[in-house]
Amino acid sequence: MSVAVVVVAAGSGARLGADRPKAFVEMAGRTLLGWSLEQILASAAVTHIVVVAPASHIVHARDVLDAAVMQQQPLTGEQLRTHVVPGGADRRASVAAGLSVLDERDGIVLVHDAARALAPPALFDRVVDGLRSGFGAVIPALPVVDTIKRVDAAEIVVETPDREQLRAVQTPQGFVREVLTHAHDEVLDEAVTDDAGLVERSGTPIHVVPGDAWAMKITTQDDLGYLAWRLQQL
Ligand code: CTP
Ligand code: MG
């Protein structure tokens, strides 16, 4: 089964507070979208890349994608299909826009946040391996280090879940394509914040594989500074 990756890069990055959409902000001389694509292209499994970009940045996104493909696979570029499509008002709408250009050749789809710019190729491979072993949905996650409380509207603690059973979820999240497209079409709950959350409501078991610290999401300037520093240490 061939593997499509939908890279959602259409957010504005309000919490980062830069002068451009977050995916086009640079870290160590490369845009976050460029970093993401470099990692994805280093995973041998990927045959189709769909970048979901802000409508204002379609041409820029296409340039970043073409440059990444040229750099990574100058000879085999024609074996890789690529699309750039405009995103929607929220992340879910942007994922849906990306899914809309997939077809029956794309047996597996991975959905990835461009904001997790340094998620390594091995993480993509791990998720794909899980899908190839027969799961319909596979997500990477890390144990949580803090104790987590559930509170009510008045900030009164309702519950302390057993930390051993909690995981902090990352992307890429991988799915048999039809499992994800059905969940996107059928689940109406607007509180769901990730793709696996939609699939969970549709009843498909979701397999968790180990995440990676490099796959942390860049949300604030502190995150950007921290990852730039980690890159310098390599
Ligand atoms: N995303 C998207 N379309 C949207 C909103 C978000 O494609 N309408 C993408 C972002 O580009 C990002 C990923 O979803 O790669 C995770 O979202 P987040 O980190 O929240 O990014 P932003 O929404 O851009 O940031 P903020 O919430 O601070 O504005
Ligand atoms: Mg957001």
Side-chain angles (χ1 to χ4, degrees), residues 88-136:
D90 57 22
R91 185 182 181 282
R92 180 173 174 172
S94 292
V95 174
L99 295 178
S100 73
V101 299
L102 302 186
D103 62 33
E104 58 287 343
R105 285 172 288 180
D106 304 302
I108 286 173
V109 56
L110 271 46
V111 180
H112 185 52
D113 294 333
R116 298 181 189 274
L118 297 179
L123 188 61
F124 289 83
D125 293 341
R126 191 140 73 227
V127 170
V128 170
D129 287 347
L131 292 162
R132 293 221 160 108
S133 77
F135 288 100

Side-chain angles (χ1 to χ4, degrees), residues 8-16 22 88-91 94 113-115 217-218:
V8 285
S12 64
R15 288 169 290 180
L16 192 65
K22 180 159 71 180
D90 57 22
R91 185 182 181 282
S94 292
D113 294 333
K217 186 157 73 74
I218 297 165

Side-chain angles (χ1 to χ4, degrees), residues 40-58:
I40 292 165
L41 286 160
S43 165
V46 175
T47 53
H48 187 183
I49 294 181
V50 182
V51 174
V52 186
S56 57
H57 282 65
I58 297 296

